[in-house]
Amino acid sequence: MNQMQSLLIIGFVWPEPNSSAAGGRMMQLISLFQKQGFQVIFASPAQNSNFMVDLSEFDVQKESIELNNSSFDDFIKELNPKIVLFDRFMIEEQFGWRVAENCPDALRVLDTEDLHCLRLARQKAFKEKREFQISDLLAEEVAKREIASILRCDLSLMISEYEIELLINVFKIDKALLYYLPLLLNPEAIPDLNLLPDFETRKDFVFIGNFLHEPNWNAVQYLKETIWPIIKKQLPDAVLNVYGAYPSQKVLQLNNVKEGFLIQGRAQNANEVVEKARIVLAPLRFGAGIKGKLLEAMQCGTPSVTTAIGAESMQGNLPWNGFVEDNPELFADKAIQLYQHKEIWLQAQDNGIEIIKQRYLRKLFEGDFATQIQFLLSNIKQHRLNNFMGELLQHHTLKSTKYMSRWIEEKNKKSVS
């Protein structure tokens, strides 16, 4: 293949599709670009991990790169990619200016994962025991960095419609810079209910989520202290199995056999675990983006009970795959109802399948996405002229970040010598 048709992804971490939805999302993006005919090179300054995917199996070239090191400039000049995809805004901050300087014609795409400033502003409001306000978002320090990064890029991939509305209405971002691309599923993700365990075969409740993610850890504490005792009182034989990658000692200490609250750690096979459960519980009190665990529940034919933040931007106008409740007593009550009543459970299961079919199938998005990428590649000059604020930020960032990075690089050289 012509080297000009290469796509460079600069990853915040190496993809771990079995540890988080973010890892699965990255593999979906790789597949989409490969289908468009791009040769994919994945580079990251991160350390290797035990659970990272073997990229060579997916025909992806793996490259290790360093922060604050001009060796990256030589690497990208030689590669001369057609497109550079930044995995989260922190990576764009580190490498965006180097890409702009060394490959000015490369299309710069940002995969936001979720809006970090929204997650952090909500978390802060929650910790301060008050309602989240839009003004919290404007005051959040990370917002200034994240919005600047979005403006500097030619296109930002968004997984949440609510976040697109915030960017357009609150931060006045031109919608031509944003593209809605949720988590994507292949047709085989639509479950065949005849092949899945039925209502009678399933038992117990499950929570699943990466413990390095603060909203997940908070949800587990909330289950332990508030919600699970209410459910357990009504369903004394029920058990809640809590699964997640990277459990710390404080997570493991919550394990209590007598209370039926079992910390199981990393799931070897997440689908298997969720398919055996009758209900998924996800009482998320802050966060952003859309929740891979809840989409996974739908794929497994497992109804879920979650909060408004858990379900945000996931179902459109369709009924939920279970119930959405913010009040802990009502949350527990709905979980008990769903657990005990087969008809309600079956209806919830059907709702989940309908959400997958109408909102998450890859075929709904891949054609339009390819068209959008080709349009930008053909019209990049005009597109950038229309984004004057982005060009302005690129100009100033290039100067400030460049000198800061060069200073760190020199300092590192001196400390080595």
Side-chain angles (χ1 to χ4, degrees):
M1 176 181 285
N2 185 326
Q3 204 179 21
M4 291 297 286
Q5 285 296 92
S6 59
L7 161 83
L8 172 66
I9 298 175
I10 308 179
F12 182 64
V13 291
W14 301 107
E16 289 188 24
N18 295 328
S19 300
S20 70
R25 157 75 163 185
M26 183 51 74
M27 299 313 291
Q28 290 164 15
L29 290 177
I30 287 170
S31 171
L32 278 182
F33 280 108
Q34 285 176 328
K35 192 164 182 192
Q36 291 181 38
F38 288 95
Q39 179 191 346
V40 179
I41 298 94
F42 194 104
S44 178
Q47 299 288 317
N48 286 351
S49 78
N50 294 335
F51 301 100
M52 64 193 244
V53 78
D54 181 353
L55 289 166
S56 65
E57 285 182 15
F58 296 87
D59 200 23
V60 174
Q61 186 181 322
K62 177 180 182 281
E63 297 285 345
S64 288
I65 52 176
E66 285 186 51
L67 297 170
N68 302 308
N69 194 317
S70 50
S71 60
F72 178 83
D73 303 351
D74 302 326
F75 162 70
I76 197 166
K77 257 187 218 159
E78 190 181 336
L79 185 65
N80 194 22
K82 196 84 171 156
I83 303 177
V84 177
L85 177 84
F86 302 103
D87 169 25
R88 292 168 251 211
F89 80 91
M90 303 82 86
I91 282 293
E92 188 279 334
E93 281 183 329
Q94 285 285 346
F95 293 99
W97 66 272
R98 290 185 185 274
V99 172
E101 192 169 69
N102 295 291
C103 289
D105 297 333
L107 184 69
R108 297 188 295 272
V109 180
L110 173 67
D111 186 37
T112 55
E113 294 291 352
D114 61 16
L115 215 46
H116 291 60
C117 58
L118 174 63
R119 175 158 41 87
L120 293 170
R122 280 175 168 166
Q123 186 171 328
K124 188 166 184 255
F126 172 79
K127 295 269 163 80
E128 291 172 4
K129 296 183 169 49
R130 57 182 180 78
E131 287 288 309
F132 163 75
Q133 312 281 341
I134 292 297
S135 55
D136 293 334
L137 204 51
L138 294 164
E140 176 53 54
E141 192 59 36
V142 165
K144 299 174 182 68
R145 294 170 53 199
E146 191 165 24
I147 299 305
S149 183
I150 288 169
L151 282 166
R152 283 192 298 264
C153 288
D154 300 310
L155 192 68
S156 287
L157 306 180
M158 309 295 301
I159 61 172
S160 157
E161 293 145 318
Y162 173 70
E163 291 175 11
I164 290 179
E165 283 171 31
L166 279 182
L167 290 173
I168 293 170
N169 299 325
V170 178
F171 294 106
K172 312 301 179 200
I173 302 280
D174 182 349
K175 65 173 180 285
L177 299 177
L178 307 172
Y179 189 85
Y180 174 61
L181 192 69
L183 299 174
L184 302 178
L185 300 175
N186 292 322
E188 53 269 27
I190 301 170
D192 179 345
L193 298 183
N194 299 318
L195 301 177
L196 288 173
D198 61 13
F199 178 82
E200 286 79 13
T201 313
R202 295 168 182 250
K203 66 183 184 60
D204 299 331
F205 295 81
V206 69
F207 172 91
I208 192 160
N210 186 324
F211 288 112
L212 296 178
H213 195 52
E214 184 68 24
N216 288 338
W217 161 234
N218 180 270
V220 170
Q221 289 174 291
Y222 187 34
L223 279 166
K224 170 82 174 176
E225 292 159 15
T226 309
I227 293 171
W228 183 245
I230 304 172
I231 296 174
K232 187 69 175 167
K233 198 171 174 188
Q234 294 289 320
L235 303 169
D237 295 333
V239 164
L240 172 58
N241 290 299
V242 177
Y243 287 90
Y246 303 107
S248 63
Q249 198 49 46
K250 63 183 180 181
V251 177
L252 297 171
Q253 281 171 352
L254 298 181
N255 187 67
N256 189 313
V257 176
K258 191 162 156 267
E259 292 172 6
F261 195 93
L262 306 180
I263 305 292
Q264 306 283 14
R266 177 184 286 271
Q268 289 309 311
N269 183 326
N271 276 19
E272 212 172 86
V273 162
V274 177
E275 279 176 10
K276 283 179 183 167
R278 196 176 283 179
I279 317 279
V280 166
L281 300 179
L284 298 155
R285 292 188 283 185
F286 51 86
I290 58 175
K291 314 301 176 291
K293 62 172 80 55
L294 295 174
L295 192 55
E296 182 177 60
M298 295 175 203
Q299 288 171 258
C300 295
T302 312
S304 62
V305 186
T306 188
T307 55
I309 279 179
E312 184 175 271
S313 277
M314 286 201 69
Q315 84 232 56
N317 299 319
L318 300 169
W320 186 249
N321 170 49
F323 293 104
V324 179
E325 285 294 349
D326 286 329
N327 174 290
E329 282 82 14
L330 289 175
F331 187 104
D333 185 51
K334 294 294 191 198
I336 293 160
Q337 260 188 57
L338 205 47
Y339 197 81
Q340 291 181 318
H341 296 98
K342 185 177 178 178
E343 313 75 47
I344 299 174
W345 188 89
L346 288 170
Q347 182 57 59
Q349 193 180 53
D350 286 342
N351 293 349
I353 292 169
E354 210 46 47
I355 291 171
I356 290 176
K357 284 182 181 171
Q358 292 194 37
R359 291 183 58 83
Y360 294 99
L361 288 184
R362 177 174 164 150
K363 66 177 184 188
L364 301 172
F365 298 92
E366 68 181 344
D368 187 72
F369 180 58
T371 304
Q372 177 72 10
I373 292 296
Q374 289 310 316
F375 173 79
L376 287 176
L377 286 170
S378 308
N379 297 278
I380 190 67
K381 283 194 168 65
Q382 188 57 49
H383 182 73
R384 286 178 180 168
L385 285 174
N386 295 346
N387 179 20
F388 180 76
M389 290 306 287
E391 292 292 279
L392 179 91
L393 282 166
Q394 191 66 260
H395 172 80
H396 288 289
T397 306
L398 200 79
K399 298 265 188 293
S400 58
T401 318
K402 176 178 176 176
Y403 291 116
M404 183 64 172
S405 186
R406 293 268 190 260
W407 179 76
I408 293 170
E409 192 176 351
E410 286 305 314
K411 196 162 165 277
N412 290 345
K413 279 180 194 166
K414 281 176 185 155
S415 65
V416 169
S417 58

